Amino acid sequence: MSPTEHRALLRPTAILDYTHPRIEALIQSRGWRRLPTRERIAAIYDFVRNDIAFGYNLADDLPASRVLDDGLGQCNTKGSLLMALLRACDIPCRLHGFTIDKALQKGAITGLAYALAPRNIVHSWVEVELDGQWLELEGFILDADYLRALQQRFAKHQGPFCGYGVATPDLHAPPVEWNGGNTYIQKDGINQDLGVFDDPDRFYARHGANLDGLKRWLFQTVVRRWMNRNVARIRSAQSSHPPQAGSQPATPQGRQ
């Protein structure tokens, strides 16, 4: 990576607003900058994965500081926070954009919310540079409590799983823990590769967010609350609860 490229992948943007006082306060309180590089990435990754619950924000293109305030997020918003924290701690990173089939979200999103969702949903993961290699980080999207609830709910399921925010070959052993390599939780639902971007600002400027107009207004004012209540119910369910009728997972669709 050239010095110019390195600087571009560390700079703040409107979305990656890591100079915000609350982001800086978080970094100082956690002491991440004092950690060796690998441990630094691991600590930030685990924070975004588990301290920021899986859920739905007002929009995909929120500033990272707003995602931190919300305390929840999905692939795009949690990815923005992850990138902001990494860059603030001198870890170069970039965004890789995709679309996913909305079947991946069925179960986490139901009823009117599912009907409003576009067939192809804008999706992204974060790529981080470490020791001259680019690593793909996607496994941070679902917090451990939510994923554990799904594993209990579908304890007898074997083989590919697609639904409830998951698209993976094995629900019970998805590669979500960061140990120096790639992590995934929705990869098998990808149906279009939109390329690599220096930052989410450029990605959304080109490809937009998932909803606009009346659908965006309905989502922000009403539907999002339904979705987050549903996710919260799934997360808090006991293992003795049987799956809901019609909630069996679909077969994931591979990338095209």
Side-chain angles (χ1 to χ4, degrees), residues 81 145 170 176 192-193 217 239 246 255-256:
L81 179 58
D145 288 342
D170 185 354
V176 295
Q192 185 179 9
D193 189 329
W217 180 84
S239 60
R255 190 186 312 182
Q256 297 176 353

Side-chain angles (χ1 to χ4, degrees), residues 190-204:
I190 290 171
N191 56 22
Q192 185 179 9
D193 189 329
L194 300 177
V196 175
F197 295 78
D198 284 358
D199 50 65
D201 308 58
R202 300 185 190 198
F203 175 61
Y204 295 121

Side-chain angles (χ1 to χ4, degrees), residues 19-68:
T19 59
H20 193 284
R22 284 192 290 278
I23 290 183
E24 181 59 28
L26 170 67
I27 292 170
Q28 291 292 340
S29 69
R30 298 284 175 142
W32 288 330
R33 292 193 181 104
R34 297 192 295 271
L35 298 175
T37 302
R38 281 180 178 268
E39 287 82 351
R40 200 181 322 155
I41 297 171
I44 294 171
Y45 177 91
D46 288 343
F47 172 83
V48 173
R49 180 184 169 217
N50 290 316
D51 287 56
I52 307 299
F54 172 57
Y56 298 92
N57 314 86
L58 280 173
D60 292 309
D61 51 357
L62 295 179
S65 60
R66 174 61 187 273
V67 181
L68 179 62

Side-chain angles (χ1 to χ4, degrees), residues 1-249:
M1 187 189 310
S2 71
T4 300
E5 292 171 325
H6 187 269
R7 287 193 297 271
L9 298 180
L10 287 174
R11 69 184 183 91
T13 68
I15 293 178
L16 306 181
D17 61 340
Y18 63 72
T19 59
H20 193 284
R22 284 192 290 278
I23 290 183
E24 181 59 28
L26 170 67
I27 292 170
Q28 291 292 340
S29 69
R30 298 284 175 142
W32 288 330
R33 292 193 181 104
R34 297 192 295 271
L35 298 175
T37 302
R38 281 180 178 268
E39 287 82 351
R40 200 181 322 155
I41 297 171
I44 294 171
Y45 177 91
D46 288 343
F47 172 83
V48 173
R49 180 184 169 217
N50 290 316
D51 287 56
I52 307 299
F54 172 57
Y56 298 92
N57 314 86
L58 280 173
D60 292 309
D61 51 357
L62 295 179
S65 60
R66 174 61 187 273
V67 181
L68 179 62
D69 287 346
D70 285 353
L72 57 80
Q74 32 81 351
C75 57
N76 298 316
T77 51
K78 289 183 77 167
S80 294
L81 179 58
L82 178 61
M83 290 184 69
L85 295 174
L86 289 170
R87 290 191 181 193
C89 293
D90 203 35
I91 305 295
C93 56
R94 64 192 187 189
L95 177 147
H96 199 143
F98 305 93
T99 62
I100 53 175
D101 190 291
K102 76 172 182 178
L104 183 154
Q105 297 285 2
K106 192 171 185 179
I109 303 176
T110 60
L112 176 61
Y114 190 77
L116 285 174
R119 180 79 255 174
N120 298 306
I121 298 174
V122 173
H123 172 65
S124 62
W125 69 43
V126 175
E127 297 184 352
V128 60
E129 196 276 336
L130 179 66
D131 298 332
Q133 293 186 320
W134 286 103
L135 305 176
E136 300 169 348
L137 304 182
E138 190 200 50
F140 58 83
I141 300 169
L142 305 185
D143 59 274
D145 288 342
Y146 178 82
L147 178 58
R148 191 177 302 114
L150 288 183
Q151 291 168 335
Q152 293 175 348
R153 186 182 184 90
F154 296 101
K156 296 182 180 180
H157 181 84
Q158 297 180 353
F161 187 99
C162 183
Y164 293 83
V166 174
T168 185
D170 185 354
L171 175 65
H172 299 286
V176 295
E177 301 287 344
W178 192 74
N179 55 13
N182 300 328
T183 70
Y184 305 108
I185 192 62
Q186 297 184 350
K187 180 183 179 183
D188 286 10
I190 290 171
N191 56 22
Q192 185 179 9
D193 189 329
L194 300 177
V196 175
F197 295 78
D198 284 358
D199 50 65
D201 308 58
R202 300 185 190 198
F203 175 61
Y204 295 121
R206 178 175 297 183
H207 294 287
N210 277 306
L211 296 173
D212 55 21
L214 178 59
K215 286 186 176 182
R216 183 182 179 102
W217 180 84
L218 283 171
F219 171 81
Q220 292 181 336
T221 57
V222 180
V223 174
R224 183 177 69 94
R225 294 182 176 88
W226 299 346
M227 292 161 63
N228 284 333
R229 283 198 293 268
N230 186 53
V231 168
R233 282 194 296 267
I234 294 169
R235 184 183 289 109
S236 62
Q238 299 298 312
S239 60
S240 59
H241 288 184
Q244 299 171 358
S247 64
Q248 293 301 317

